[in-house]
Amino acid sequence: MPAYRSLFRTPEFTALFLGTAAQTAAGTVGGLALGTLVYRATGSPLLSALSMFGPSLAQVLGATLLLSGADRLPPRTTLTAVSLAFAAGTAVQALPGLPLGALFTAVLVLGLVASLGGGVRWGLLNEILAKDGYLPGRSLFNMMSGLMQIAGFATSGALLAALSPRACLLLAAALYLTAALVLRLGLTARPPRATGRPSPSATWRANAELWSSRPRRLTYLGLWLPNGMVVGCESLYVSYAPHAAGTLFASAALGMLAGDVTVGRLLRPAVRRRLATPLLLLLATPYLVFCAHPPVPVAVVCVTVASAGFGASLVQQERLMSLTPGDLSGQALGLHSAGMLTFQGVSAALAGAVAQFTSPAMAMTAMAAASLCVTLALAAAARRTPARPSAESAREHSPF
């Protein structure tokens, strides 16, 4: 497996890495600022959760209409345009006196744009790295995401104590502009990976092909459902501990970073392939402690330990790429990203609704219990997948 340092000698990797880092920092600062802005204005856990994770709900529309563009549009132009769209949308959210309906409209439009950006980005990463470089490359991106979230949530928590949420949103818009500039200047003008025009019908055909394989279906469901429900727990940090939400988010990012380093660099492939289910169980189990409404220091420990379980996604993504034709890699990763974010948005809405009628602590406990049940059900379904003698079918056996 290539070392992390060697990846930066690959043309375009550094530009894609730095541009994505700026986008992640922008999303972190802007997301916490927006959630805080809405919670201060409404006092609603549901609306606060939706403001932070609502863009994910639009991913399902993007997955059904736009994903064919992940392989059929020029990557540099598309990624630059996505960053510019987020800069404009985030600046709109910072407008004083913006009605709540208009704010949520901007949130959903940005989610629709994001559904295309994920497929283009990860498809390009798969293209510019050698075959054995995707997992360490994606691991490095996940580590960067964790570090940016730690720094971003810590910084935005401090900024929100000194500045207004709208000022933090303008800072996020500036970071998105920076990302657009880095991507435009650092990437080369590559042609699309597939021929033909992007269209809803092309998206449907490719999605149907991707969904037609039982091993791929199980892999997608494993990528989407368990972690989506745990993100529902995370969506309640602001309402659970309004003055310590930044600390909880930063702790979650730290745990995710530890999990990615462990899975991406420290574990041998034979060991790594067996860890999808244990890691998903780890992801949810510590949140059961929230039924006792723990104080913030205990909550921080639970969140940090749980988030190491997000390392399961690296195992599952490696699995997905081994099951997917090269000319569909962008759409396959886009479908993963769009489906995952959709279920995160649905889970945030569900968790917020439960918290509205009970409490944030009880809602977090319920979402964690649901994640555990889904993980065990998927593991049982994988064991029922019939084994075949051919090498190809053996390779397609589920990782659960």
Side-chain angles (χ1 to χ4, degrees):
M1 182 182 293
Y4 286 143
R5 185 183 306 171
S6 67
L7 298 175
F8 289 98
R9 293 196 291 268
T10 303
E12 300 182 85
F13 180 86
T14 301
L16 184 61
F17 183 86
L18 293 176
T20 304
Q23 287 179 314
T24 303
T28 301
V29 173
L32 185 57
L34 186 60
T36 302
L37 177 69
V38 172
Y39 189 69
R40 289 179 182 177
T42 66
S44 169
L46 173 59
L47 292 179
S48 175
L50 285 177
S51 67
M52 294 186 70
F53 295 91
S56 303
L57 293 172
Q59 297 278 338
V60 66
L61 184 59
T64 57
L65 298 177
L66 302 178
L67 272 186
S68 62
D71 293 302
R72 300 175 185 224
L73 291 173
R76 183 179 69 175
T77 301
T78 306
L79 290 175
T80 303
V82 167
S83 293
L84 290 174
F86 266 85
T90 304
V92 167
Q93 292 169 358
L95 291 175
L98 186 70
L100 201 61
L103 186 148
F104 276 99
T105 298
V107 165
L108 293 176
V109 169
L110 291 181
L112 187 60
V113 172
S115 67
L116 177 60
V120 176
R121 180 182 303 110
W122 305 129
L124 177 60
L125 179 65
N126 190 57
E127 184 178 355
I128 65 179
L129 294 178
K131 185 175 182 180
D132 63 345
Y134 178 79
L135 186 136
R138 189 62 189 262
S139 172
L140 190 58
F141 268 78
N142 287 358
M143 290 166 56
M144 172 272 293
S145 177
L147 289 171
M148 287 296 102
Q149 288 180 41
I150 293 169
F153 283 126
T155 301
S156 57
L159 288 174
L160 285 169
L163 303 173
S164 70
R166 288 189 172 86
C168 293
L169 285 169
L170 291 175
L171 173 60
L175 287 170
Y176 281 122
L177 285 174
T178 302
L181 183 64
V182 169
L183 293 168
R184 180 64 181 81
L185 297 178
L187 297 178
T188 59
R190 287 173 173 263
R193 284 178 294 276
T195 58
R197 296 179 59 185
S199 68
S201 61
T203 298
W204 274 101
R205 283 195 302 271
N207 284 346
E209 181 178 347
L210 291 168
W211 197 250
S212 63
S213 162
R214 177 180 170 86
R216 277 198 297 263
R217 287 198 302 273
L218 289 174
T219 303
Y220 273 126
L221 291 174
L223 282 162
W224 294 344
L225 298 178
N227 81 17
M229 294 173 182
V230 170
V231 170
C233 300
E234 294 182 348
S235 73
L236 298 174
Y237 289 169
V238 172
S239 53
Y240 181 81
H243 300 296
T247 301
L248 290 173
F249 278 115
S251 300
L254 177 62
M256 184 177 68
L257 173 63
D260 285 331
V261 171
T262 301
V263 173
R265 293 304 302 169
L266 302 182
L267 298 180
R268 292 181 291 109
V271 175
R272 187 170 62 232
R273 284 192 290 268
R274 296 195 294 268
L275 288 183
T277 296
L279 286 169
L280 290 174
L281 294 175
L282 174 64
L283 182 62
T285 300
Y287 280 98
L288 298 179
V289 175
F290 279 80
C291 67
H293 207 291
V296 169
V298 176
V300 164
V301 173
C302 292
V303 165
T304 304
V305 172
S307 297
F310 280 115
S313 68
L314 287 175
V315 182
Q316 295 164 310
Q317 288 173 54
E318 184 180 36
R319 170 76 183 162
L320 180 62
M321 286 295 92
S322 73
L323 299 170
T324 303
D327 61 346
L328 287 178
S329 62
Q331 182 153 348
L333 292 166
L335 183 60
H336 148 54
S337 179
M340 178 184 68
L341 291 171
T342 295
F343 279 101
Q344 288 178 1
V346 170
S347 296
L350 180 58
V354 173
Q356 197 81 17
F357 293 101
T358 57
S359 70
M362 292 309 298
M364 292 162 84
T365 305
M367 296 303 293
S371 179
L372 287 172
C373 292
V374 168
T375 296
L376 294 173
L378 287 172
R383 287 193 295 270
R384 292 195 299 270
T385 301
R388 298 175 185 173
S390 71
E392 181 180 356
S393 62
R395 180 173 60 87
E396 289 189 354
H397 196 63
S398 172
F400 280 94

